[in-house]
Amino acid sequence: MGRTYIVEEAVGQYLSNINLQGKAFVSGLLIGQCSSQKDYVILATRTPPKEEQNENLKHQQKAKLDNLDEEWATEHANQVSRMLPGGLLVLGVFIITTLEMGNDFQNALRRLVFAMEKSMNKRRLWNFTEEEVSERVTLHVCSSTKKIFCRTYDIHDPKSSAKPADWKYQNGLSTSWLSLECTVHINIHIPLSTTSVSYTLEKNTKNGLVRWAKQIENGVYLINGQVKDEDCDLLEGQKKSSRGNVQATSHCFDVKVLTHLLLNSDRRSTATVQICSGSVNLKGAVKCRAYIHSSKPKVKDAVQAMKRDILNTVADRCEILFEDLLLNEVPEKKILKKSFTSSLTEFLSPFRDPL
């Protein structure tokens, strides 16, 4: 039996309101959260057309799905992924067509799902665990027949074939979701060794952030001031209603991160002298937020969502901060000769507003 997707009713309304306006198809992203038993889709967002696509609207009426711009759709996924809070992911893609399509159409969607996941994974400072759900969804809506075809692909298996999945709507899906908030103070010093002068700024910064990410991964997380066992229910200790349902006194949890010292007490430390051509200093504070479903959430799931938002937030802000430098960097030189001190603050976006 395939996976079950519980979908916010507003997503169905959004999809039904999309007008093809003479185009052969319209595609977009599905955003939500995975769990061991079922997945949740709380948002859909259409991939904006390119300017030249708007100018050639008449020609698009006869266009085939082979003309699906994989690079453009992948870049859209990267930009949306930047704005998502912890716990939310791009779960897959949707496409709306006037006609039912065949195998060629499914192959195009399959390639798109794998390309998007590969591109987004390059930007991450963390990896999916073996226990996590590795299936991503494709949703095909036929505007003329109103039929829905929902299928999944295993992104860990390049040869995986499509599996059918259930698509079920539910009203007010995310209204009872839990949120976690955390402020992390950043002070990261990244020396640029003379042995790495040929590296781009992006690669040097990424290498430094990978070392810092290990501290965040191995940190101790206090939830409302307490250390909880990772296998415990996040809502353990909350009062129950007369019907036996857990009633959270607050939908928001305060999280604090305690990181270990870099030096390990059971191992002798040695000083390393490096000749550096420069350094990058990242200082400031980032306010992070994560969301998790309210269906028996585990502490480990909440902590994982918060960890990933911390890592994503800092990595994405660095990328945004250095974007102009990366675009204007001279390919022949690619040598950083200055030291940058940057203040990282929360990057506000519609996706980071409370659900």
Side-chain angles (χ1 to χ4, degrees):
M1 184 175 178
R3 293 195 65 77
T4 297
Y5 287 85
I6 308 299
V7 187
E8 174 64 57
E9 279 192 358
V11 172
Q13 189 62 45
Y14 175 85
L15 296 176
S16 63
N17 289 340
I18 292 179
N19 190 341
L20 294 180
Q21 296 179 335
K23 297 180 180 180
F25 62 88
V26 168
S27 63
L29 308 175
L30 298 170
I31 297 162
Q33 186 172 105
C34 296
S35 71
S36 58
Q37 297 180 344
K38 51 192 172 184
D39 297 338
Y40 304 92
V41 179
I42 63 170
L43 187 66
T45 179
R46 175 181 176 175
T47 298
K50 282 186 175 180
E51 292 182 2
E52 56 265 31
Q53 289 176 340
N54 287 329
E55 294 173 359
N56 299 324
L57 182 60
K58 294 181 180 180
H59 299 289
Q60 282 203 7
Q61 189 168 4
K62 297 181 180 180
K64 297 181 180 180
L65 283 169
D66 292 339
N67 296 333
L68 178 63
D69 194 331
E70 188 175 295
E71 183 179 357
W72 180 254
T74 298
E75 180 58 28
H76 181 224
N78 285 327
Q79 295 297 331
V80 170
S81 182
R82 265 183 177 181
M83 297 185 285
L84 296 178
L88 295 185
L89 296 169
V90 175
L91 294 182
V93 298
F94 72 83
I95 192 161
I96 302 174
T97 64
T98 54
L99 301 173
E100 296 181 23
M101 300 293 180
N103 293 333
D104 291 343
F105 161 70
Q106 285 299 325
N107 290 334
L109 285 184
R110 182 183 182 279
R111 289 194 303 270
L112 179 58
V113 168
F114 277 84
M116 284 169 40
E117 192 63 33
K118 182 179 180 180
S119 180
M120 290 185 291
N121 197 49
K122 286 182 180 179
R123 299 168 179 263
R124 293 170 179 149
L125 294 175
W126 49 270
N127 297 312
F128 287 105
T129 64
E130 293 181 357
E131 295 78 17
E132 288 185 83
V133 176
S134 59
E135 292 182 65
R136 294 296 179 265
V137 63
T138 63
L139 182 75
H140 173 213
V141 180
C142 180
S143 61
S144 57
T145 64
K146 305 302 180 183
K147 287 185 179 180
I148 292 179
F149 303 91
C150 184
R151 296 177 176 88
T152 62
Y153 295 92
D154 186 347
I155 55 173
H156 289 170
D157 181 9
K159 297 181 180 179
S160 66
S161 57
K163 296 180 181 178
D166 291 330
W167 186 264
K168 300 179 179 179
Y169 288 107
Q170 179 178 318
N171 187 33
L173 175 61
S174 61
T175 55
S176 61
W177 279 27
L178 310 171
S179 65
L180 302 98
E181 295 187 352
C182 176
T183 299
V184 180
H185 295 277
I186 305 297
N187 188 1
I188 307 172
H189 179 73
I190 305 174
L192 305 178
S193 172
T194 53
T195 59
S196 62
V197 292
S198 61
Y199 287 3
T200 62
L201 174 61
E202 181 180 24
K203 188 170 183 179
N204 273 306
T205 305
K206 182 75 176 286
N207 289 341
L209 289 179
V210 167
R211 294 190 292 269
W212 165 79
K214 292 179 180 178
Q215 290 183 268
I216 299 299
E217 288 283 2
N218 298 327
V220 177
Y221 288 75
L222 306 180
I223 299 179
N224 288 345
Q226 297 180 336
V227 178
K228 296 187 176 183
D229 186 271
E230 62 176 17
D231 292 321
C232 286
D233 192 323
L234 182 63
L235 296 175
E236 188 177 41
Q238 300 285 346
K239 294 181 180 180
K240 292 187 177 182
S241 65
S242 57
R243 296 183 179 181
N245 297 324
V246 174
Q247 298 292 324
T249 55
S250 174
H251 284 309
C252 185
F253 293 85
D254 178 65
V255 179
K256 287 185 169 51
V257 185
L258 306 179
T259 56
H260 297 286
L261 293 175
L262 290 176
L263 296 178
N264 200 338
S265 59
D266 62 353
R267 192 171 61 182
R268 183 178 177 181
S269 62
T270 57
T272 302
V273 178
Q274 276 186 317
I275 301 176
C276 297
S277 60
S279 64
V280 175
N281 296 295
L282 304 173
K283 295 181 181 180
V286 288
K287 186 173 182 181
C288 302
R289 182 185 295 135
Y291 293 96
I292 190 167
H293 62 84
S294 56
S295 178
K296 297 181 180 180
K298 297 292 184 181
V299 170
K300 62 181 179 182
D301 297 326
V303 170
Q304 183 185 79
M306 181 53 69
K307 282 182 182 180
R308 290 177 177 178
D309 192 55
I310 294 172
L311 298 178
N312 288 344
T313 300
V314 174
D316 291 341
R317 283 12 173 215
C318 286
E319 191 175 353
I320 294 171
L321 192 62
F322 297 139
E323 211 158 49
D324 288 339
L325 293 172
L326 292 171
L327 290 173
N328 298 323
E329 195 172 12
V330 180
E332 291 78 12
K333 295 182 179 179
K334 292 185 178 178
I335 299 175
L336 183 65
K337 297 182 178 178
K338 296 182 180 180
S339 175
F340 297 93
T341 301
S342 308
S343 177
L344 302 178
T345 56
E346 182 180 15
F347 183 86
L348 300 177
S349 71
F351 292 103
R352 286 190 168 270
D353 289 339
L355 293 174

